[in-house]
Amino acid sequence: MNNKSTIKKVVLAYSGGLDTSIIIPWLKENYNNCEVIAVSGDVGQGTELEGLEEKAIKTGASKLYIEDLKKEFIEDFIYPTLKAGAVYEGEYLLGTAFARPCIAKRITEIALAENADAICHGCTGKGNDQVRFELGIKAFAPKMKIIAPWREWDIKSRDEEIDYAEAHNIPLKISRETNYSKDKNLWHLSHEGLDLEDPANEPQYAKENFLEMSVDHENAPDTPAYVKISFEKGIPVAIDGKTLGPVELITELNKLGGENAIGLCDIVENRLVGMKSRGVYETPGGAILYRAHKVLETITLDRDTIHYKELIASRFAELVYYGQWFTPLREALSAFVDKTQETVTGDVTLKLYKGNMINAGVTSPYSLYWEELATFDEDDVFNHKDAEGFINLFGLPITVKALLKDNWK
């Protein structure tokens, strides 16, 4: 437990949401009226950042940093994960998971520059984010004290948090009826809580203010949309022939994907702390990029590399989900992935239709697809007689076992 008397200045990871809104006055009440410096990492929350400085100051912060991390978030965290093809438990595209180390890194840098005594976060004791934030902090300031109010205070629910906010005249953008736990950034929007806590309940996509980045499948257009994504060494660089920066590229794909109900995901996932959790995710642009990247790899990577890379992808996804971004293993896996991406250059066209992504063409100057070799028509490249010797050798262990089986009796 922290020695409260030694803590005079605290840097708070501040989003302006329910948790961090009440943490500022709580810190001042419980840590000897310490100075609280709020830090918001802008990873694409958009309008959620509006009015944040005024709110932070009014609730007791001495100042607020709003750090534009969008480009760093994409280039240093999203793209390495995309190139790895890392998807947690086959479905989750890691939107919250890889945002946390990006934010934690910058918050820690500010805390060190401000000579802060501690860093505070609003993550619950049940969740993954407490681990992700704290491992990020330890990577850059291993001796820094960490305050996690959810592991200290007597508040036991989001309803009680709202009670505290009302008692302290803290304005909130939510009500008890719309009190979903959400996390939004440039990559995705997550929804948890309320009716979603029962996996038997179908998500109410049509409910007002539920979906923010997407439309539901029923309301998607009846006409398909086509999009061509261009990659260079595994990194997306253009849409329909137009070169775009990373922020603009993902923003445009989010719009296109959202309009066509791409990237809606309803899953029960296994949290790091051991429990199962149900979440609904909107990842329209990210889903398009993952699909296009995978399609391009089918013609630019050889069989053994693709198969081994699938093993790497699973472990890479676990590292990201578990908050182990700043580890030697993640860096080593990224080095392997970067080597595999040297030829992942080309164009992929997808047809988007009511939540579906349909392959509509792929080309690459490094394509390993040799039509003359693969054809079912007559060719002068492949000698069919070669297959007999291959099968005899490949099947030799099976043949030997069958021949000797009678001798075992």
Side-chain angles (χ1 to χ4, degrees):
M1 182 175 291
N2 291 312
N3 184 349
K4 296 183 178 181
S5 63
T6 65
I7 296 175
K8 309 296 183 184
K9 183 186 292 188
V10 178
V11 167
L12 169 66
Y14 184 72
S15 68
L18 177 57
D19 295 318
T20 57
S21 291
I22 69 172
I23 282 176
I24 294 176
W26 181 87
L27 280 171
K28 298 184 79 68
E29 289 175 0
N30 290 272
Y31 280 82
N32 303 311
N33 198 32
C34 62
E35 180 184 359
V36 179
I37 297 171
V39 179
S40 293
D42 179 3
V43 287
Q45 299 93 311
T47 57
E48 291 183 7
L49 297 172
E50 293 176 2
L52 218 55
E53 182 173 11
E54 180 183 3
K55 181 178 179 180
I57 300 300
K58 279 188 175 180
T59 51
S62 62
K63 58 184 169 182
L64 170 69
Y65 288 87
I66 297 181
E67 300 293 293
D68 186 352
L69 304 175
K70 294 189 290 295
K71 190 170 182 288
E72 178 183 349
F73 175 41
I74 297 170
E75 293 180 339
D76 294 351
F77 297 88
I78 291 179
Y79 283 171
T81 308
L82 169 67
K83 289 190 292 183
V87 182
Y88 185 66
E89 296 188 335
E91 293 192 76
Y92 175 44
L93 297 183
L94 297 163
T96 297
F98 50 33
R100 296 316 189 216
C102 178
I103 296 170
K105 176 175 178 286
R106 185 62 186 136
I107 288 172
T108 306
E109 290 169 348
I110 291 174
L112 292 172
E114 287 280 358
N115 293 313
D117 302 304
I119 294 175
C120 179
H121 64 75
C123 308
T124 73
K126 290 183 178 180
N128 303 306
D129 280 346
Q130 58 182 334
V131 181
R132 296 164 182 161
F133 270 120
E134 293 186 31
L135 294 191
I137 293 166
K138 291 177 185 299
F140 297 97
K143 295 183 179 180
M144 180 69 67
K145 295 183 177 66
I146 297 173
I147 301 173
W150 270 103
R151 304 202 293 256
E152 293 186 30
W153 62 24
D154 295 327
I155 295 173
K156 303 224 179 333
S157 68
R158 288 177 70 80
D159 263 349
E160 289 185 12
E161 285 187 287
I162 293 175
D163 291 338
Y164 184 97
E166 290 174 347
H168 290 74
N169 298 313
I170 300 171
L172 299 173
K173 294 181 180 180
I174 60 171
S175 68
R176 295 180 194 272
E177 292 74 31
T178 61
N179 185 24
Y180 288 104
S181 176
K182 296 189 177 187
D183 177 71
K184 184 178 183 180
N185 59 44
L186 191 66
W187 187 250
H188 89 156
L189 174 64
S190 65
H191 310 257
E192 294 179 314
L194 297 181
D195 53 305
L196 298 178
E197 291 189 343
D198 184 350
N201 293 330
E202 179 182 6
Q204 299 303 302
Y205 292 130
K207 184 189 294 184
E208 185 179 4
N209 298 326
F210 186 84
L211 294 177
E212 298 180 28
M213 299 176 73
S214 311
V215 299
D216 61 289
H217 302 86
E218 289 85 350
N219 290 310
D222 294 327
T223 303
Y226 286 83
V227 61
K228 182 173 74 173
I229 315 292
S230 300
F231 291 83
E232 291 182 4
K233 295 186 177 182
I235 295 174
V237 294
I239 299 174
D240 295 329
K242 180 182 178 183
T243 300
L244 295 170
V247 176
E248 293 75 21
L249 186 142
I250 290 180
T251 300
E252 186 163 327
L253 287 179
N254 277 338
K255 182 176 183 298
L256 180 63
E259 291 170 348
N260 290 277
I262 303 298
L264 288 176
C265 179
D266 175 12
I267 58 174
V268 174
E269 67 197 59
N270 290 291
R271 286 182 178 175
L272 172 58
V273 295
M275 69 187 70
K276 291 184 181 291
S277 173
R278 197 268 190 96
V280 171
Y281 298 96
E282 302 176 58
T283 320
I288 293 172
L289 286 176
Y290 262 80
R291 177 59 172 268
H293 181 264
K294 185 174 184 178
V295 170
L296 183 56
E297 286 190 330
T298 64
I299 68 168
T300 56
L301 297 185
D302 64 278
R303 180 193 64 195
D304 288 348
T305 299
I306 285 180
H307 289 180
Y308 196 78
K309 189 169 176 285
E310 288 173 351
L311 301 177
I312 293 298
S314 176
R315 187 68 181 102
F316 196 108
E318 287 182 341
L319 291 172
V320 177
Y321 191 86
Y322 297 163
Q324 295 173 296
W325 185 270
F326 301 110
T327 60
L329 178 55
R330 200 282 307 166
E331 292 174 357
L333 294 184
S334 282
F336 167 82
V337 168
D338 285 344
K339 180 64 179 177
T340 70
Q341 299 299 290
E342 289 179 354
T343 59
V344 184
T345 294
D347 300 325
V348 178
T349 301
L350 298 175
K351 180 164 68 173
L352 314 178
Y353 183 66
K354 292 187 179 295
N356 295 292
M357 293 179 286
I358 303 160
N359 298 352
V362 55
T363 63
S364 171
Y366 302 103
S367 177
L368 297 174
Y369 185 86
W370 188 2
E371 187 175 355
E372 188 178 354
L373 181 64
T375 183
F376 285 98
D377 294 332
E378 183 178 348
D379 70 86
D380 296 321
V381 177
F382 189 84
N383 186 345
H384 290 263
K385 293 181 180 179
D386 291 342
E388 181 179 355
F390 166 75
I391 295 170
N392 287 336
L393 291 175
F394 190 66
L396 185 59
I398 297 173
T399 303
V400 170
K401 180 179 178 181
L403 290 171
L404 296 180
K405 188 178 292 185
D406 288 341
N407 296 338
W408 301 346
K409 296 177 183 178

